[in-house]
Amino acid sequence: MNEAQRLVELIPRLRRYARALVGDRATADDLVQDTLERAWAKLHLYRRGTDLRAWLFTVMHNVHVNRVRASRATDTLEDEMPELAQRAPQGDTLLVRDLDRAITRLPAEQRAVLLLVTLEEMSYDEVARTLGIPIGTVMSRLSRAREKLRAMMLGQSASAKLKVVK
């Protein structure tokens, strides 16, 4: 099977990750399209025999980071994360919705690591290679993301808790 066929087979996974990453279906489809355009143009840089999926996720990550950086010039950043609504007794649908909203409120670096580990079931090593960061950074970002999600889902402040180290 050639790279073009493998690219086509990976589109559903790219769409799923993009949707989780940006939260909006139309924006996710744009991200996938931009990723595939860049991947196709740079296919000569792909090393045969390596993981095409990881390479595509790296391309997607870079495209997404470039978009975020470009939009930051006009956005105002807030230091404090908004509070989420308390869990309603109507069912798990609201819990899933709150979780989705909480994930979108995570910093982009933490969200990317969390989604690659949990949604795409990548190993820490695969995530480190995909994002071009050390494995220790993957573990710390994942830990911080999980802690922030836990706090947001419990309706607590997402402020950092500092530990005294001797």
Side-chain angles (χ1 to χ4, degrees), residues 70-90:
S71 70
R72 279 190 181 164
T74 58
D75 290 349
T76 59
L77 299 176
E78 296 180 5
D79 290 332
E80 202 169 329
M81 297 178 74
E83 293 182 8
L84 293 176
Q86 296 295 320
R87 183 172 188 250
Q90 282 84 10

Side-chain angles (χ1 to χ4, degrees), residues 7-154:
L7 264 168
V8 171
E9 288 179 359
L10 290 170
I11 290 175
R13 297 189 94 173
L14 289 170
R15 289 190 78 223
R16 182 176 64 190
Y17 178 58
R19 178 71 196 272
L21 195 60
V22 298
D24 176 310
R25 181 171 286 147
T27 307
D29 286 342
D30 289 343
L31 179 58
V32 170
Q33 180 177 345
D34 291 346
T35 299
L36 291 172
E37 284 178 17
R38 179 160 306 158
W40 189 255
K42 304 287 183 179
L43 196 58
H44 65 279
L45 298 175
Y46 170 69
R47 290 182 298 191
R48 294 181 192 272
T50 60
D51 188 3
L52 181 62
R53 177 184 69 144
W55 184 74
L56 283 172
F57 280 105
T58 300
V59 171
M60 180 175 279
H61 172 76
N62 291 338
V63 169
H64 177 66
V65 167
N66 290 343
R67 284 180 168 188
V68 169
R69 285 181 182 155
S71 70
R72 279 190 181 164
T74 58
D75 290 349
T76 59
L77 299 176
E78 296 180 5
D79 290 332
E80 202 169 329
M81 297 178 74
E83 293 182 8
L84 293 176
Q86 296 295 320
R87 183 172 188 250
Q90 282 84 10
D92 290 339
T93 304
L94 295 178
L95 179 63
V96 171
R97 185 198 67 200
D98 286 348
L99 179 61
D100 183 53
R101 287 181 180 171
I103 289 171
T104 61
R105 288 185 174 105
L106 288 174
E109 299 85 12
Q110 292 175 9
R111 185 174 57 245
V113 170
L114 177 75
L115 293 173
L116 288 174
V117 169
T118 59
L119 187 64
E120 291 303 320
E121 299 177 349
M122 291 176 124
S123 69
Y124 292 178
D125 188 49
E126 289 174 321
V127 173
R129 281 186 280 126
T130 298
L131 300 180
I133 57 177
I135 197 166
T137 304
V138 170
M139 292 187 298
S140 66
R141 287 181 182 176
L142 182 61
S143 175
R144 288 185 189 119
R146 287 177 173 162
E147 183 59 35
K148 284 184 182 180
L149 277 179
R150 190 175 298 113
M152 285 189 283
M153 294 305 291
L154 293 173

